[in-house]
Each structure stands twice: as C-alpha cells, then as structure tokens.
Amino acid sequence: MLKKLILAALPLTLVAFLFNCGGGRPVADVEEIPEWYLNPPVAEDAIYGSGDAVKQSLALAKEAADARARDAVARAIEVKVSNMLKNFMQESGLAEDAEALEFTESVSKQVANTVLRGCKITKRTVKTEGRLYHVYSLAEYNLNSLIQETLDQARKHKALYNEAKARLGFEELEKEIQKLEAIGNE
Amino acid sequence: MNKSSRPALRGGLSIFSWTCTLLLMVPTLLKCQNLFPSWFKQLPRTPKGYCLSAGYAGRFVNRTLGKQVALDLAIKNLYRQKGIRLKFKLEEIADGRLRITHPFYEMVYNPDSILEEEKDFRIVDSLYTDEAYFVLIASPPDIELDVKKEILTNWGPRPKWVDICKCKAPAPHGIGIVSNYTSWIRAWQDADAFAYFDLARSVALRVESIHVARIKGFVVESKIMKQEFDITTKNCVITARWYDKNRDIYYSLCTPMVKVTRK
C-alpha cells in the first residue's frame, strides 16, 4: 500500500519540479518601463540620473536602484573619461593574395569619486515580475542646493575666522588689563 | 500495515498537521494589521521641543510582558529620534556575467542617560487588541496632548508620500520599503530602520565607481561601485506608515521633526 502511494506520488513530484524550474525570469514589459527611466529629464539647474534593479527582496532592489541612480548622477558631475581606441592592422600573405584583418577594440573607462549632498530620489516605481521586484529610481541633484551648500560652507568658515579673530582681540585686551593691574600693584 | 512504517507515517502526519496549523495561523497573524490606532499610521504633531514615539508588539500570553516589549521599542525609537549614528556601505561588482550587491548597515546609539518613565517620558495612549499591543509615549512628560484615540480598521487610500513623484518639490525625507515578511512586527521594524538610512543618504553620500565598457564585437561591461556614509542624524522621526495590503508592502516615512510653535 505504502509502496503504491510512493510510486504514485513520485511522478507527480517530478512534474511539479519540472514546471517550477522550467519558467525563466520574466522580462519587463517595455510599455511598462517609466518614460523618465529611458529618457531622464534635462534641466539647467539640476542633474538627473536613473537606475533600476531586479531582486527578490524589495528592500534590496530599492537600495540597488537608488544607488545606481545616484551613481549616474555622480558620473555626470565628475567623470574622467579615458577612451582608448586600439586599431590593429594585420596583413599576411603576398600581393593580391594578402589578407587584411582588422580588429577594432574600444575601451571606455569612467571613474567617478565625489560626495553628493542633497541628492534626492524624486521618482520611484515598483513593478512585480513574477516573484521578483523591479524598482526604477530617478535621482535629482539640484545645482542650486549645491551652490547654496558651498556658500553655507564658506559662511561657516568666515564665521569661524571672525570668532577666532574676536578671541584674539579678547586675549590681547586681557593681556593689556593684566599689564595695567601689574602697574597698579606696583 | 507493516510495523516498521508506523513511525514514518506518524512523522508524516505530524508534519502535515503542523503545516495545516501554520496555514491557518497566517490569516490570524495578518489580522492585527486590520486593527490599529490612528497615531500608528500618522504621528500627531507636537510643539517644538517635544517628541512622540510609538511602540508595538505582537501577541503575548503574558499581557504585561507584551506591554513591556512594546514600551521598550517605543523607548528605543525615542533614542533614535534624539540622535543616532548611521553607517552605510554598499558595494556592487559586475563583470558582465555576474553581479554582486552587498549592502552594509549599522545603527549606533549611545544614550547619555537611561530614560525613565514619568521623569523623561510618559505614556500618552495605548491600545491592546487581540493580536497586538500599541503604545505611544511623549517626552518630556509635561506635555499636554489631546491624542484622539481613533481605532482604524483599514489603511485607507495610498498616501501621497508613497509615490514621491507626485510631489513637485519633496522636502527632506526617507522612505523605508519592505515586503514578504511573515512577521508584521519585524517588517515595520525594518521599514523604520530603512527609512532612517534613506533620509541620511540624501544628506551626504560618498560615491565612487569605475565603469569599464569593452566593445569588441559585443559589449562587455564591468563595474565596481562603492557608496558610503557615516552620519549622525538628530531630531528625525518616523511620522507615517502605510501598508499596501494588496501587494503586501510596508512603507515607513522618516522626516526631520516638524517645528510647530507652542500655543
């Protein structure tokens, strides 16, 4: 009886496994991709960068999408592009029988290293693709806030300088008072 | 039936009964999301210098213990509001074949003094349902707040802050999003923590990355990305929560404390 049950259950289990493993990763419907992801907005006073990520964990998908969007902004701000174009020409054989082989290799390298202050995620869309979460993020870096941040830093430095100057003044005054007191005591 | 097959049958039946029990318990566990105080969804505004903090706990056989757990969480949230050091690091490596994303989170708070009830805070409101315990505390305790004890049965329509794209000029804020949690308590705790990190990330973030694209008939893209921050946030609070019941997604909103002049 038990053997019969096991024999009956075995093919069912195999079928279940086959159906479960057979399905590939669902692909995002192109029409569902946000327009701002494909064509990030262009503005004079702001820099935009978009990013996306597909993960099983929604929290991780959001983190990765946000990070990629901010990375795009960072690369737009400070990027050192070094392009190397290598052309190799090879020729072998003789006269008309010679065979020319041409290899073209292009290597593009982008290095970004910057600190983003006030870079916000202004748009975010979550799509489900089967059991996966597809998150699209749009990061905005307002150049006005960047300018303001720089000015604030400058003001802070100025305030510190003035404070230091005032403290020096007080120290000098105290020295003068001490001198006067010393004279008075004599 | 063969005697030797009996233990296996018993084991199978035991597993089956446990699975059935768990399946029956899932709707019960989610039930608590259908009964909650309004201040858990939206924190009331407080006068300048005062802060509110919400705590929550699941079902406890011992009600006193449940209350204590919720209160401990509320106190923890209060510490977070006063000041918290957040360390974040995200590394991503992609070489065209595989992609590894490794995030690292660390929350450090060193309270100068241990907060005491009636001296540093007081319980403003609480709600005990069949499945959960909610508590709201206020600090300093001398605050006179008229908290409307409204018990909600649903999360209502999708709030504006969830879809940030609807706001034209978003104020500094952080949104924590989590999904697929069996425990609603764990889900809210993680969503709250992620919201803090999200807020800190918009303050200052070091971004380093190297992108290399090799075009040799086909494109092979390699990438190394590193993002990190080490920030201490002060006066930031979880002001709103929303649960998307249809998609099982938890949202938490973290904002700098709203400055309201004292009447």
Short mmCIF file of all heavy atoms in Angstrom, two decimals, chain A residues 119-169:
data_model
loop_
_atom_site.label_atom_id
_atom_site.label_comp_id
_atom_site.label_asym_id
_atom_site.label_seq_id
_atom_site.Cartn_x
_atom_site.Cartn_y
_atom_site.Cartn_z
N CYS A 119 21.33 64.97 -2.67
CA CYS A 119 20.86 64.26 -3.86
C CYS A 119 19.63 63.43 -3.48
O CYS A 119 19.72 62.55 -2.65
CB CYS A 119 21.97 63.38 -4.41
SG CYS A 119 21.50 62.53 -5.91
N LYS A 120 18.50 63.76 -4.10
CA LYS A 120 17.24 63.12 -3.70
C LYS A 120 16.70 62.20 -4.78
O LYS A 120 16.92 62.43 -5.96
CB LYS A 120 16.18 64.19 -3.44
CG LYS A 120 16.44 65.03 -2.22
CD LYS A 120 15.49 66.20 -2.21
CE LYS A 120 15.92 67.25 -1.22
NZ LYS A 120 15.21 68.52 -1.41
N ILE A 121 15.99 61.18 -4.32
CA ILE A 121 15.28 60.31 -5.26
C ILE A 121 13.90 60.94 -5.45
O ILE A 121 13.11 61.01 -4.51
CB ILE A 121 15.16 58.86 -4.73
CG1 ILE A 121 16.55 58.25 -4.50
CG2 ILE A 121 14.32 57.98 -5.66
CD1 ILE A 121 17.38 57.98 -5.74
N THR A 122 13.65 61.45 -6.62
CA THR A 122 12.39 62.18 -6.84
C THR A 122 11.30 61.31 -7.45
O THR A 122 10.12 61.64 -7.37
CB THR A 122 12.62 63.41 -7.74
OG1 THR A 122 13.36 62.99 -8.88
CG2 THR A 122 13.36 64.50 -7.01
N LYS A 123 11.70 60.24 -8.10
CA LYS A 123 10.69 59.35 -8.68
C LYS A 123 11.10 57.91 -8.45
O LYS A 123 12.28 57.57 -8.58
CB LYS A 123 10.53 59.62 -10.17
CG LYS A 123 9.81 60.90 -10.47
CD LYS A 123 9.65 61.14 -11.94
CE LYS A 123 8.98 62.49 -12.18
NZ LYS A 123 8.77 62.77 -13.60
N ARG A 124 10.11 57.11 -8.13
CA ARG A 124 10.40 55.68 -7.91
C ARG A 124 9.17 54.86 -8.30
O ARG A 124 8.05 55.23 -7.98
CB ARG A 124 10.76 55.44 -6.45
CG ARG A 124 11.33 54.06 -6.22
CD ARG A 124 11.61 53.81 -4.77
NE ARG A 124 12.75 54.56 -4.25
CZ ARG A 124 12.70 55.35 -3.19
NH1 ARG A 124 11.59 55.53 -2.55
NH2 ARG A 124 13.79 55.97 -2.76
N THR A 125 9.41 53.80 -9.03
CA THR A 125 8.31 52.91 -9.43
C THR A 125 8.68 51.46 -9.12
O THR A 125 9.80 51.04 -9.39
CB THR A 125 8.03 53.06 -10.95
OG1 THR A 125 7.79 54.42 -11.24
CG2 THR A 125 6.82 52.25 -11.38
N VAL A 126 7.74 50.76 -8.54
CA VAL A 126 7.96 49.34 -8.21
C VAL A 126 7.06 48.48 -9.10
O VAL A 126 5.85 48.70 -9.17
CB VAL A 126 7.65 49.05 -6.72
CG1 VAL A 126 7.93 47.61 -6.38
CG2 VAL A 126 8.43 49.97 -5.80
N LYS A 127 7.68 47.56 -9.81
CA LYS A 127 6.92 46.62 -10.66
C LYS A 127 7.22 45.20 -10.18
O LYS A 127 8.34 44.91 -9.74
CB LYS A 127 7.34 46.73 -12.13
CG LYS A 127 7.26 48.14 -12.69
CD LYS A 127 5.96 48.39 -13.37
CE LYS A 127 5.92 49.79 -13.96
NZ LYS A 127 4.59 50.28 -14.19
N THR A 128 6.25 44.34 -10.29
CA THR A 128 6.50 42.95 -9.93
C THR A 128 6.60 42.13 -11.21
O THR A 128 5.76 42.25 -12.11
CB THR A 128 5.38 42.39 -9.03
OG1 THR A 128 4.13 42.83 -9.54
CG2 THR A 128 5.50 42.84 -7.60
N GLU A 129 7.65 41.33 -11.27
CA GLU A 129 7.85 40.45 -12.42
C GLU A 129 7.93 39.03 -11.88
O GLU A 129 9.00 38.58 -11.45
CB GLU A 129 9.14 40.84 -13.15
CG GLU A 129 9.02 42.16 -13.87
CD GLU A 129 10.34 42.70 -14.34
OE1 GLU A 129 11.34 41.96 -14.34
OE2 GLU A 129 10.39 43.89 -14.70
N GLY A 130 6.82 38.38 -11.86
CA GLY A 130 6.76 37.06 -11.24
C GLY A 130 6.97 37.19 -9.76
O GLY A 130 6.24 37.92 -9.09
N ARG A 131 8.02 36.56 -9.26
CA ARG A 131 8.31 36.66 -7.82
C ARG A 131 9.40 37.70 -7.54
O ARG A 131 9.90 37.80 -6.45
CB ARG A 131 8.74 35.30 -7.28
CG ARG A 131 7.60 34.30 -7.27
CD ARG A 131 8.08 32.93 -6.94
NE ARG A 131 8.47 32.82 -5.55
CZ ARG A 131 9.01 31.73 -5.02
NH1 ARG A 131 9.25 30.68 -5.78
NH2 ARG A 131 9.33 31.67 -3.75
N LEU A 132 9.78 38.41 -8.60
CA LEU A 132 10.85 39.41 -8.44
C LEU A 132 10.27 40.81 -8.41
O LEU A 132 9.22 41.08 -8.97
CB LEU A 132 11.85 39.29 -9.58
CG LEU A 132 12.56 37.94 -9.75
CD1 LEU A 132 13.27 37.89 -11.07
CD2 LEU A 132 13.54 37.71 -8.61
N TYR A 133 11.04 41.70 -7.76
CA TYR A 133 10.65 43.11 -7.72
C TYR A 133 11.59 43.89 -8.62
O TYR A 133 12.81 43.74 -8.52
CB TYR A 133 10.74 43.66 -6.29
CG TYR A 133 9.71 43.07 -5.38
CD1 TYR A 133 10.04 42.06 -4.48
CD2 TYR A 133 8.39 43.52 -5.40
CE1 TYR A 133 9.09 41.51 -3.64
CE2 TYR A 133 7.44 42.98 -4.55
CZ TYR A 133 7.79 41.98 -3.68
OH TYR A 133 6.86 41.43 -2.86
N HIS A 134 11.02 44.70 -9.49
CA HIS A 134 11.81 45.55 -10.39
C HIS A 134 11.57 47.00 -9.97
O HIS A 134 10.45 47.50 -10.09
CB HIS A 134 11.39 45.33 -11.84
CG HIS A 134 12.39 45.83 -12.82
ND1 HIS A 134 12.47 45.36 -14.10
CD2 HIS A 134 13.39 46.75 -12.70
CE1 HIS A 134 13.45 45.98 -14.73
NE2 HIS A 134 14.01 46.84 -13.91
N VAL A 135 12.61 47.63 -9.45
CA VAL A 135 12.47 49.00 -8.97
C VAL A 135 13.22 49.96 -9.90
O VAL A 135 14.36 49.70 -10.28
CB VAL A 135 13.01 49.15 -7.52
CG1 VAL A 135 12.87 50.58 -7.02
CG2 VAL A 135 12.27 48.21 -6.58
N TYR A 136 12.55 51.01 -10.29
CA TYR A 136 13.14 52.08 -11.11
C TYR A 136 13.25 53.33 -10.23
O TYR A 136 12.28 53.68 -9.56
CB TYR A 136 12.25 52.40 -12.31
CG TYR A 136 12.03 51.26 -13.28
CD1 TYR A 136 10.95 50.39 -13.13
CD2 TYR A 136 12.89 51.05 -14.35
CE1 TYR A 136 10.74 49.35 -14.01
CE2 TYR A 136 12.68 50.01 -15.24
CZ TYR A 136 11.60 49.16 -15.07
OH TYR A 136 11.39 48.13 -15.94
N SER A 137 14.41 53.98 -10.25
CA SER A 137 14.59 55.19 -9.44
C SER A 137 15.17 56.32 -10.28
O SER A 137 15.98 56.07 -11.18
CB SER A 137 15.54 54.93 -8.28
OG SER A 137 14.99 53.97 -7.42
N LEU A 138 14.74 57.52 -9.96
CA LEU A 138 15.28 58.70 -10.62
C LEU A 138 15.86 59.62 -9.55
O LEU A 138 15.15 60.04 -8.64
CB LEU A 138 14.20 59.44 -11.42
CG LEU A 138 14.67 60.68 -12.18
CD1 LEU A 138 15.41 60.29 -13.45
CD2 LEU A 138 13.51 61.58 -12.53
N ALA A 139 17.15 59.90 -9.66
CA ALA A 139 17.82 60.77 -8.68
C ALA A 139 17.95 62.17 -9.25
O ALA A 139 18.23 62.34 -10.44
CB ALA A 139 19.19 60.21 -8.33
N GLU A 140 17.74 63.16 -8.39
CA GLU A 140 17.86 64.55 -8.80
C GLU A 140 18.88 65.25 -7.93
O GLU A 140 18.82 65.15 -6.70
CB GLU A 140 16.50 65.26 -8.67
CG GLU A 140 16.52 66.70 -9.17
CD GLU A 140 15.31 67.48 -8.72
OE1 GLU A 140 14.26 67.36 -9.35
OE2 GLU A 140 15.44 68.22 -7.72
N TYR A 141 19.81 65.93 -8.57
CA TYR A 141 20.80 66.70 -7.83
C TYR A 141 20.65 68.15 -8.23
O TYR A 141 21.02 68.54 -9.34
CB TYR A 141 22.21 66.18 -8.16
CG TYR A 141 23.25 66.61 -7.17
CD1 TYR A 141 23.03 66.55 -5.81
CD2 TYR A 141 24.50 67.06 -7.59
CE1 TYR A 141 23.99 66.93 -4.89
CE2 TYR A 141 25.47 67.45 -6.70
CZ TYR A 141 25.21 67.38 -5.35
OH TYR A 141 26.17 67.76 -4.45
N ASN A 142 20.06 68.90 -7.31
CA ASN A 142 19.77 70.29 -7.60
C ASN A 142 21.05 71.11 -7.52
O ASN A 142 21.70 71.14 -6.47
CB ASN A 142 18.72 70.80 -6.60
CG ASN A 142 18.08 72.07 -7.05
OD1 ASN A 142 18.75 72.95 -7.60
ND2 ASN A 142 16.79 72.16 -6.86
N LEU A 143 21.38 71.78 -8.59
CA LEU A 143 22.62 72.56 -8.61
C LEU A 143 22.52 73.79 -7.72
O LEU A 143 23.52 74.26 -7.20
CB LEU A 143 22.98 72.96 -10.04
CG LEU A 143 23.35 71.79 -10.95
CD1 LEU A 143 23.58 72.27 -12.37
CD2 LEU A 143 24.59 71.06 -10.46
N ASN A 144 21.31 74.30 -7.54
CA ASN A 144 21.12 75.43 -6.63
C ASN A 144 21.47 75.05 -5.20
O ASN A 144 22.09 75.82 -4.47
CB ASN A 144 19.67 75.92 -6.67
CG ASN A 144 19.37 76.67 -7.96
OD1 ASN A 144 20.28 77.24 -8.56
ND2 ASN A 144 18.13 76.62 -8.38
N SER A 145 21.06 73.83 -4.83
CA SER A 145 21.38 73.37 -3.47
C SER A 145 22.87 73.15 -3.33
O SER A 145 23.44 73.35 -2.25
CB SER A 145 20.61 72.10 -3.13
OG SER A 145 21.09 71.02 -3.89
N LEU A 146 23.49 72.74 -4.41
CA LEU A 146 24.95 72.57 -4.41
C LEU A 146 25.65 73.90 -4.20
O LEU A 146 26.57 74.02 -3.39
CB LEU A 146 25.39 71.93 -5.73
CG LEU A 146 26.88 71.67 -5.91
CD1 LEU A 146 27.36 70.58 -4.98
CD2 LEU A 146 27.19 71.29 -7.34
N ILE A 147 25.15 74.93 -4.91
CA ILE A 147 25.72 76.28 -4.77
C ILE A 147 25.48 76.79 -3.35
O ILE A 147 26.37 77.34 -2.70
CB ILE A 147 25.11 77.24 -5.83
CG1 ILE A 147 25.55 76.80 -7.24
CG2 ILE A 147 25.52 78.68 -5.58
CD1 ILE A 147 24.70 77.35 -8.37
N GLN A 148 24.24 76.58 -2.86
CA GLN A 148 23.88 77.02 -1.52
C GLN A 148 24.76 76.35 -0.47
O GLN A 148 25.21 76.98 0.48
CB GLN A 148 22.40 76.69 -1.25
CG GLN A 148 21.80 77.41 -0.05
CD GLN A 148 21.88 78.92 -0.15
OE1 GLN A 148 21.59 79.50 -1.18
NE2 GLN A 148 22.34 79.55 0.93
N GLU A 149 24.98 75.06 -0.68
CA GLU A 149 25.82 74.27 0.23
C GLU A 149 27.24 74.85 0.27
O GLU A 149 27.82 75.02 1.34
CB GLU A 149 25.84 72.82 -0.27
CG GLU A 149 26.74 71.88 0.50
CD GLU A 149 26.22 71.54 1.88
OE1 GLU A 149 25.00 71.60 2.09
OE2 GLU A 149 27.06 71.23 2.74
N THR A 150 27.76 75.18 -0.89
CA THR A 150 29.10 75.76 -0.98
C THR A 150 29.16 77.11 -0.27
O THR A 150 30.10 77.41 0.47
CB THR A 150 29.51 75.93 -2.46
OG1 THR A 150 29.11 74.75 -3.16
CG2 THR A 150 30.99 76.14 -2.63
N LEU A 151 28.09 77.92 -0.49
CA LEU A 151 28.03 79.24 0.16
C LEU A 151 27.95 79.10 1.68
O LEU A 151 28.61 79.83 2.41
CB LEU A 151 26.82 80.03 -0.36
CG LEU A 151 26.97 80.67 -1.74
CD1 LEU A 151 25.63 81.19 -2.22
CD2 LEU A 151 27.98 81.80 -1.72
N ASP A 152 27.14 78.13 2.13
CA ASP A 152 27.00 77.89 3.58
C ASP A 152 28.32 77.50 4.21
O ASP A 152 28.68 77.97 5.29
CB ASP A 152 25.96 76.79 3.83
CG ASP A 152 24.54 77.26 3.58
OD1 ASP A 152 24.35 78.49 3.46
OD2 ASP A 152 23.64 76.41 3.48
N GLN A 153 29.04 76.65 3.49
CA GLN A 153 30.35 76.21 3.97
C GLN A 153 31.30 77.41 4.08
O GLN A 153 32.03 77.55 5.05
CB GLN A 153 30.95 75.17 3.01
CG GLN A 153 30.28 73.80 3.09
CD GLN A 153 30.54 73.08 4.40
OE1 GLN A 153 31.58 73.26 5.02
NE2 GLN A 153 29.56 72.32 4.84
N ALA A 154 31.23 78.27 3.05
CA ALA A 154 32.09 79.46 3.02
C ALA A 154 31.74 80.39 4.19
O ALA A 154 32.62 80.91 4.88
CB ALA A 154 31.92 80.18 1.70
N ARG A 155 30.40 80.56 4.42
CA ARG A 155 29.93 81.41 5.53
C ARG A 155 30.39 80.84 6.87
O ARG A 155 30.79 81.58 7.76
CB ARG A 155 28.40 81.50 5.49
CG ARG A 155 27.93 82.57 4.54
CD ARG A 155 26.47 82.92 4.79
NE ARG A 155 25.90 83.46 3.57
CZ ARG A 155 25.06 82.82 2.79
NH1 ARG A 155 24.64 81.62 3.12
NH2 ARG A 155 24.59 83.37 1.69
N LYS A 156 30.31 79.53 6.98
CA LYS A 156 30.71 78.86 8.22
C LYS A 156 32.19 79.13 8.50
O LYS A 156 32.59 79.45 9.62
CB LYS A 156 30.46 77.36 8.10
CG LYS A 156 30.20 76.67 9.43
CD LYS A 156 29.99 75.20 9.25
CE LYS A 156 28.60 74.82 8.90
NZ LYS A 156 28.43 73.38 8.67
N HIS A 157 32.97 79.02 7.45
CA HIS A 157 34.41 79.28 7.59
C HIS A 157 34.67 80.73 7.99
O HIS A 157 35.54 81.02 8.79
CB HIS A 157 35.12 78.95 6.27
CG HIS A 157 35.30 77.48 6.07
ND1 HIS A 157 35.01 76.85 4.89
CD2 HIS A 157 35.69 76.50 6.93
CE1 HIS A 157 35.23 75.55 5.02
NE2 HIS A 157 35.64 75.32 6.24
N LYS A 158 33.86 81.64 7.38
CA LYS A 158 34.01 83.07 7.67
C LYS A 158 33.67 83.33 9.14
O LYS A 158 34.36 84.08 9.83
CB LYS A 158 33.09 83.87 6.76
CG LYS A 158 33.44 85.34 6.67
CD LYS A 158 32.47 86.06 5.77
CE LYS A 158 32.66 87.56 5.91
NZ LYS A 158 31.62 88.29 5.17
N ALA A 159 32.59 82.70 9.60
CA ALA A 159 32.15 82.85 11.00
C ALA A 159 33.23 82.35 11.96
O ALA A 159 33.52 83.00 12.96
CB ALA A 159 30.86 82.08 11.22
N LEU A 160 33.82 81.22 11.60
CA LEU A 160 34.89 80.65 12.43
C LEU A 160 36.09 81.58 12.48
O LEU A 160 36.71 81.78 13.52
CB LEU A 160 35.31 79.28 11.88
CG LEU A 160 34.40 78.10 12.20
CD1 LEU A 160 34.79 76.90 11.37
CD2 LEU A 160 34.47 77.74 13.68
N TYR A 161 36.38 82.18 11.31
CA TYR A 161 37.52 83.11 11.21
C TYR A 161 37.27 84.34 12.09
O TYR A 161 38.14 84.77 12.83
CB TYR A 161 37.70 83.50 9.74
CG TYR A 161 38.70 84.61 9.52
CD1 TYR A 161 40.07 84.40 9.70
CD2 TYR A 161 38.26 85.88 9.12
CE1 TYR A 161 40.98 85.42 9.49
CE2 TYR A 161 39.17 86.91 8.92
CZ TYR A 161 40.52 86.67 9.10
OH TYR A 161 41.42 87.68 8.91
N ASN A 162 36.03 84.87 11.98
CA ASN A 162 35.67 86.05 12.78
C ASN A 162 35.74 85.75 14.27
O ASN A 162 36.19 86.56 15.06
CB ASN A 162 34.26 86.53 12.41
CG ASN A 162 34.26 87.25 11.08
OD1 ASN A 162 35.30 87.73 10.62
ND2 ASN A 162 33.10 87.31 10.45
N GLU A 163 35.26 84.56 14.64
CA GLU A 163 35.27 84.14 16.05
C GLU A 163 36.70 84.06 16.56
O GLU A 163 37.02 84.54 17.65
CB GLU A 163 34.59 82.77 16.15
CG GLU A 163 34.11 82.44 17.55
CD GLU A 163 33.54 81.04 17.62
OE1 GLU A 163 32.75 80.66 16.74
OE2 GLU A 163 33.92 80.33 18.55
N ALA A 164 37.55 83.47 15.73
CA ALA A 164 38.96 83.33 16.11
C ALA A 164 39.61 84.71 16.27
O ALA A 164 40.39 84.95 17.19
CB ALA A 164 39.68 82.52 15.05
N LYS A 165 39.22 85.63 15.34
CA LYS A 165 39.78 86.98 15.37
C LYS A 165 39.34 87.71 16.64
O LYS A 165 40.13 88.36 17.32
CB LYS A 165 39.30 87.75 14.13
CG LYS A 165 40.40 88.60 13.51
CD LYS A 165 40.01 89.09 12.15
CE LYS A 165 39.03 90.23 12.22
NZ LYS A 165 38.78 90.83 10.88
N ALA A 166 38.04 87.54 16.97
CA ALA A 166 37.48 88.17 18.17
C ALA A 166 38.17 87.62 19.41
O ALA A 166 38.47 88.37 20.35
CB ALA A 166 35.98 87.91 18.23
N ARG A 167 38.40 86.28 19.41
CA ARG A 167 39.05 85.66 20.57
C ARG A 167 40.46 86.23 20.74
O ARG A 167 40.90 86.52 21.85
CB ARG A 167 39.11 84.15 20.36
CG ARG A 167 39.16 83.40 21.67
CD ARG A 167 39.17 81.91 21.43
NE ARG A 167 37.92 81.43 20.89
CZ ARG A 167 37.82 80.45 19.99
NH1 ARG A 167 38.90 79.90 19.50
NH2 ARG A 167 36.65 80.04 19.57
N LEU A 168 41.14 86.43 19.61
CA LEU A 168 42.49 87.01 19.66
C LEU A 168 42.44 88.40 20.26
O LEU A 168 43.25 88.77 21.08
CB LEU A 168 43.08 87.09 18.24
CG LEU A 168 43.76 85.81 17.73
CD1 LEU A 168 44.12 85.98 16.26
CD2 LEU A 168 45.03 85.54 18.54
N GLY A 169 41.41 89.18 19.87
CA GLY A 169 41.21 90.53 20.39
C GLY A 169 41.04 90.53 21.89
O GLY A 169 41.66 91.31 22.62
#
